Amino acid sequence: MQAVTLSSGTSMPIVGFGVFQVDDGATEQAVADALAAGYRLIDTAAAYRNEAAVGRAIAASGIPREELFITTKLWVQDAPGEANALRAFDASATRLGLDYLDLYLVHQPYGDYYGEWRALQRLHAEGLARAIGVSNFMPDRLLDLVLHSDVVPAVNQVEVNPYYQRADEQAQMTELGVQIQSWGPFAEGRNGLFTDPVLRAVGDECGRSIAQVVIRWLVQRGVVVIPKSVRPERMAENLAVFDFELTADQMARIAAVDLAASQFFDHRDPHMVRELGTARVD
Ligand code: NDP
């Protein structure tokens, strides 16, 4: 598996497996199938309410801990202040059955994320989080955090897909030493992604599916990506992207389908600031 090296020195697989919207009952099997398919990076979050099931699958897999790369995320409610965030980390680690995390992320740029970041810096210094990062930070919020913190986030996990490519933001992150990670690589199928004529034509040229073209396109851009599927055949398909290469012309044609707009919502929309900022995870 191809990997990137984070600013923390940690090696991170470039393709991983995400479990958002996989309910707790289905998660253990999905993660077991993903590990069997060869995924080693698993991406969950306290807000997904399936950390315990992820933990059971990890324990049952028998895969040595050092071969895995486990990410979870701190929810908005686990602030203000460092103490609340540290308690939330302990709860997540306990649910996952792990004594350290490979990557711990501030899930949303809302509330007291500076307090959360100070807690994450402490967890990183203590070796409990091998790398720390953020998610859904727009360029202004990311730069402000970098300017006013001791540790630069190793990762910013944001929506990236063919319709929201964020090349300028990736350039800014690279300059700051922040690794970009894509969530929603298929835009969950929105805007007709799985029937897109440009992606289909490129796929036909390579003898690959649209999903594989999208994952390969992200890998060639140096974007870490965590596709989600509950179907073993798709898990394998989404991982089988290391034995072909897109040409410069194919990359350029995919670049041209960019709509430069989120396929979900803008994290700066006041409606979402209220909805996500006040959502509670039991
Ligand atoms: P994706 O873009 O990965 O799309 C997932 C959808 O695509 C599912 O409906 C899946 O269906 C389908 N699919 C997967 N593979 C294929 C394939 N080969 N062919 C056809 N359809 C396919 O969306 P997600 O929102 O799940 O994003 C991925 C991960 O990113 C999440 O699981 C989560 O870990 C993370 N994430 C993080 C967020 C954040 O705020 N930080 C927000 C959202 C996601 P099926 O399962 O039936 O195969």
Side-chain angles (χ1 to χ4, degrees), residues 13-272:
I14 199 157
V15 180
F17 182 72
V19 295
F20 178 44
Q21 298 174 129
V22 184
D23 65 44
D24 194 51
T27 299
E28 186 172 346
Q29 187 62 49
V31 174
D33 290 342
L35 292 171
Y39 290 88
R40 291 296 177 266
L41 187 175
I42 308 294
D43 181 274
T44 184
Y48 301 170
R49 298 182 170 90
N50 55 19
E51 291 173 309
V54 171
R56 286 194 297 276
I58 291 170
S61 75
I63 297 171
R65 175 67 184 91
E66 62 276 12
E67 288 179 22
L68 298 171
F69 189 104
I70 310 300
T71 304
T72 195
K73 314 185 190 87
L74 178 64
W75 190 243
V76 188
Q77 76 194 43
D78 295 312
E82 292 177 52
N84 284 324
L86 293 170
R87 264 194 295 278
F89 173 88
D90 284 344
S92 282
T94 301
R95 284 191 292 267
L96 284 160
L98 300 176
D99 50 13
Y100 72 91
L101 283 166
D102 297 279
L103 179 62
Y104 197 38
L105 300 177
V106 170
H107 201 150
Q108 303 289 354
Y110 305 141
D112 180 25
Y113 55 83
Y114 283 88
E116 293 183 358
W117 190 248
R118 284 191 293 276
L120 266 60
Q121 290 182 151
R122 191 197 292 192
L123 292 165
H124 180 52
E126 292 173 357
L128 296 170
R130 298 279 161 93
I132 53 174
V134 296
S135 179
N136 300 312
F137 275 51
M138 301 300 273
D140 62 316
R141 292 299 85 210
L142 182 65
L143 180 60
D144 195 63
L145 186 66
V146 167
L147 291 176
H148 301 288
S149 304
D150 296 329
V151 178
V152 173
V155 168
N156 187 16
Q157 184 184 111
V158 292
E159 178 194 346
V160 185
N161 52 58
Y163 306 128
Y164 194 25
Q165 301 193 7
R166 309 180 90 159
D168 291 352
E169 291 182 51
Q170 183 178 4
Q172 182 221 29
M173 289 183 222
T174 303
E175 198 182 316
L176 294 173
V178 178
Q179 171 65 50
I180 189 169
Q181 181 177 28
S182 155
W183 65 255
F186 307 135
E188 296 180 7
R190 290 175 190 210
N191 199 43
L193 182 137
F194 288 115
T195 54
D196 184 290
V198 174
L199 300 176
R200 164 88 64 216
V202 171
D204 288 347
E205 288 159 24
C206 304
R208 299 292 172 146
S209 69
I210 284 179
Q212 289 172 319
V213 167
V214 171
I215 301 296
R216 180 70 210 179
W217 164 74
L218 288 163
V219 166
Q220 283 186 218
R221 282 183 53 193
V223 179
V224 174
V225 55
I226 42 171
K228 169 262 172 186
S229 177
V230 292
R231 307 184 202 201
E233 69 278 10
R234 288 181 176 173
M235 294 175 191
E237 175 187 335
N238 297 343
L239 203 52
V241 297
F242 297 103
D243 57 351
F244 76 107
E245 203 167 334
L246 300 172
T247 64
D249 172 67
Q250 289 167 333
M251 293 293 286
R253 280 151 60 205
I254 299 170
V257 308
D258 192 11
L259 300 173
S262 170
Q263 299 305 298
F264 296 88
F265 58 85
D266 187 328
H267 280 78
R268 295 163 300 188
D269 175 353
H271 171 73
M272 294 311 299

